[in-house]
Amino acid sequence: MRSTVRRAAIAALIRSETLIIARKTLPLMALTALALFASRLALTQAVVPGVKYRQTTTMEMMGMSIPSTTREVCVSNNDADEALAMPSDECELTSVQRSPNGFKAQMRCTGEQAMEGSLEQVSDGPGKYRTTMRMSSAEGDMTMKMTSVKLGQACDANADFRKFNAMANKMQKQAEDNIAENCRQIMSGLKKKPGDVAYEFSRAFSPDGSAAMCGRPEDRKAVCAALNTRAGFLETKRAFAKGFVKNDSLQSRLSRCTLGKEDTVRQKLLAGAEAAGDWEFLISEGLPLAQALADRECTGRGFTFSAQDPRYTKFCSSWSAYLAGRDFGGDNAGDADSSSQVRTSAAGESGDRPGATGAADNEAATGNDENQEPKPATATDKAKELGKSAKKVLGRIFGGGN
């Protein structure tokens, strides 16, 4: 969790800092290159004597060229030539061939953004280097060229790292604070709308056992409290019935909250449904109880019932809607297994008709329409896609990006 937040903070910092240097909005791959290609970050914050270089970088990717960009970097005196070209620790150089004026090598990066290619650096004289990197990956082919010219001024090769590390720590804390506040708002919202727990549960308990975004004890307590309500129980059950939630189950969630067996929780919640006037839950989860209540409190025939006691007016109306939906094949199916035992009249007329429940069931949530036909890609869309691809490629080669 913390490492993920830090990686996001570092990536954002790289972009923001490079924008300041460039003083204009450049394509993301060029910005990332400027921030990361110059040299590897030192592992300590000690002062490291170095010398300044001016670097000019150009790049081609997916058939598009990125305008050249120039900046100054400070490189350690101990390994100036290799530090100007060496990739991050996430990649390795193999088959290194050195010559009097430079070196060649194969470069390979493994993991989520696997890629491989070659790197070549040539010295054009004292303090002058030309570096060319050619890489191939699932994102496409990329060629980066850089010229480095020694300026001669002494500098601290770790100065940028110390500044970068301090700002990254600050951004990481801000990101963690933002996540905590977001979780607080989500959990607070569950007190007002406990049915939302059907879709917020995984924020506190991830299905695969990985660290959850809102995994604090207080967050999990709030989620379980919402699940242990009639609205939370019912909407979670409906979410699974609709296939909205994958690789999980209502019973699994009840177990993770140590609430017990599904039927035990159902019966406990049904015990207070009539007193609370929760007719939707009573009809959906306790159909025999609803039938008995209808026989006792509702009068009429067919699908039209009236209540003898005003307190049950809404129940008799919901019962009428349930019977109408069941008998006429409504879209919202009832959850009870004993629907065939329901009589069509509280006065005693019997009849077993197949069907589903009606207005008692409200739609809990809707997902994205996966069958919607995608819109044709525009020039702007292609440019955005290019930037995303470059970010993944360069982030993998030089570290820090996602």
Side-chain angles (χ1 to χ4, degrees), residues 182-348:
N182 186 43
C183 292
R184 188 195 66 78
Q185 293 180 7
I186 291 173
M187 301 311 156
S188 177
L190 289 180
K191 295 181 180 179
K192 299 178 180 179
K193 296 181 63 178
D196 288 347
V197 72
Y199 311 101
E200 302 292 0
F201 188 90
S202 59
R203 294 185 185 274
F205 295 90
S206 60
D208 59 2
S210 60
M213 185 183 79
C214 304
R216 300 176 305 172
E218 56 266 39
D219 296 332
R220 294 190 169 189
K221 182 179 179 180
V223 162
C224 292
L227 181 60
N228 195 28
T229 63
R230 287 182 295 274
F233 183 97
L234 185 57
E235 294 303 332
T236 299
K237 180 178 178 180
R238 286 173 174 170
F240 285 115
K242 295 171 185 175
F244 189 88
V245 183
K246 306 294 184 182
N247 303 321
D248 204 351
S249 68
L250 173 57
Q251 182 57 64
S252 175
R253 293 187 174 189
L254 292 172
S255 297
R256 275 178 278 180
C257 286
T258 65
L259 293 175
K261 297 294 184 180
E262 180 178 335
D263 190 59
T264 302
V265 177
R266 178 187 293 106
Q267 296 305 319
K268 182 194 70 173
L269 296 174
L270 279 170
E274 181 180 348
D278 193 342
W279 312 127
E280 182 179 21
F281 188 85
L282 184 66
I283 293 173
S284 175
E285 298 300 309
L287 198 54
L289 295 177
Q291 176 72 72
L293 183 61
D295 289 344
R296 189 185 79 217
E297 300 293 342
C298 304
T299 61
R301 300 181 64 83
F303 306 126
T304 304
F305 297 102
S306 60
Q308 301 180 76
D309 185 331
R311 293 178 300 173
Y312 294 95
T313 298
K314 289 186 177 180
F315 167 73
C316 293
S317 177
S318 296
W319 184 250
S320 296
Y322 163 75
L323 293 178
R326 180 178 66 87
D327 286 352
F328 290 107
D331 292 336
N332 299 316
D335 296 318
D337 297 328
S338 57
S339 60
S340 62
Q341 301 174 10
V342 177
R343 294 192 292 272
T344 61
S345 169

Side-chain angles (χ1 to χ4, degrees), residues 67-112:
S68 62
T69 307
T70 301
R71 68 183 295 241
E72 292 183 3
V73 296
C74 184
V75 181
S76 169
N77 290 329
N78 297 329
D79 55 353
D81 56 345
E82 292 188 4
L84 289 168
M86 189 71 71
S88 74
D89 291 331
E90 295 185 1
C91 304
E92 63 175 347
L93 297 181
T94 60
S95 304
V96 179
Q97 300 178 15
R98 298 190 178 277
S99 63
N101 67 333
F103 69 92
K104 296 180 180 179
Q106 296 298 307
M107 188 167 73
R108 184 169 181 268
C109 303
T110 58
E112 184 178 354

Side-chain angles (χ1 to χ4, degrees), residues 15-32:
R15 292 196 292 272
S16 62
E17 285 297 286
T18 309
L19 280 170
I20 295 173
I21 295 172
R23 293 188 179 278
K24 60 182 179 179
T25 304
L26 297 176
L28 184 58
M29 66 175 108
L31 297 181
T32 308

